[in-house]
């Protein structure tokens, strides 16, 4: 079968790649990739940094933990299948319903042990100060790469919660334009990049949200969080 243009370009690309034994990736969303940053950090501390293939390069800007940061998983897999590269491409998978945190399950594939105080790492512009009367919240996962009804909390309960808080706090809503808009809040849905969301969360007193990628962003910027877990997983499997 003749090579496609993608195949020809990939063959030429493969000839220029460094010799890497193993390279690791997740096939999840923002949260999985942020947990990968923690795995890369632990591997670096252990003296055995790992190579990674990423979906969200923005999260890895200025990251010095990984041995290398690659993109375009499909090209890597195409080249591996045809034995054009000597690299084993390893999927960091996990199972729900176990007692082990999914980040450590992923780390097991890379033979990495996470420390007790592990957290994700991401690059963002640190705010000059935190606004003590600001709460940033995320009320739905409808716009997530992997949306799930078991992550949701009823919107009437969100409305009731915000009504109780809006008089005392500056409430800022972030997330996707697919998320239901809330009244009496500053609407920043669809207006932030990932690093912009990290900066906004880092400026707040508190983050309130669901089991989602932004939960992991809040952990990366060390902001106290209240996470409403809907039943897809147990808190000890996904939370901090």
């Amino acid at each position: 079968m003749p090579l496609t243009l993608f195949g020809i370009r990939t063959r030429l690309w493969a000839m220029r790649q460094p010799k890497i034994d193993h390279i690791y990736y997740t096939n999840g969303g923002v949260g999985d990739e942020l947990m990968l940053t923690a795995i890369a950090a632990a591997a670096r501390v252990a003296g055995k940094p790992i190579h990674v293939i990423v979906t969200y390069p923005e999260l890895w800007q200025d990251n010095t933990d990984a041995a290398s940061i690659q993109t375009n998983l499909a090209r890597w897999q195409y080249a591996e299948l045809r034995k054009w590269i000597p690299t084993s491409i390893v999927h960091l998978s996990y199972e729900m319903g176990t007692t082990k945190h999914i980040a450590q399950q992923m780390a097991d594939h890379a033979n990495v042990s996470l420390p007790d105080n592990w957290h994700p790492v991401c690059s963002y512009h640190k705010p000059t100060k935190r606004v003590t009367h600001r709460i940033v919240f995320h009320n739905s996962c409808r716009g997530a790469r992997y949306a799930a009804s078991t992550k949701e909390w009823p919107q009437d309960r969100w409305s009731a919660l915000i009504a109780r808080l809006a008089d005392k706090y500056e409430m800022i809503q972030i997330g996707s334009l697919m998320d239901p808009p809330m009244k009496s809040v500053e609407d920043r849905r669809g207006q932030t990049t990932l690093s912009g969301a990290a900066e906004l969360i880092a400026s707040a007193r508190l983050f309130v949200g669901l089991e989602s990628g932004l939960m992991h962003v809040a952990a990366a910027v060390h902001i106290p969080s209240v996470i409403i877990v809907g039943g897809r997983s147990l808190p000890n499997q996904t939370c901090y």
Side-chain angles (χ1 to χ4, degrees), residues 136-138 172-175 179 188-189 197 200-201 207 214:
V136 175
F137 73 93
H138 179 220
I172 301 180
Q173 181 178 8
I174 60 175
D179 302 339
R188 299 288 294 275
R189 293 172 305 132
L200 191 57
I201 293 171
F207 172 75
L214 290 175

Side-chain angles (χ1 to χ4, degrees), residues 157-236:
R157 298 188 184 181
W158 276 109
S159 297
L161 174 64
I162 290 166
R164 293 176 63 182
L165 297 173
D167 288 343
K168 296 181 179 180
Y169 296 97
E170 175 190 7
M171 302 295 294
I172 301 180
Q173 181 178 8
I174 60 175
S176 163
L177 288 174
M178 294 178 66
D179 302 339
M182 294 285 102
K183 297 179 179 179
S184 304
V185 303
E186 181 180 339
D187 187 357
R188 299 288 294 275
R189 293 172 305 132
Q191 300 178 37
T192 61
T193 61
L194 285 173
S195 58
E199 180 180 353
L200 191 57
I201 293 171
S203 74
R205 178 176 183 173
L206 182 71
F207 172 75
V208 181
L210 306 171
E211 181 206 333
S212 70
L214 290 175
M215 171 185 79
H216 299 276
V217 171
V221 300
H222 303 278
I223 290 300
S225 302
V226 175
I227 304 302
I228 301 163
V229 179
R232 174 180 176 268
S233 65
L234 296 175
N236 66 328

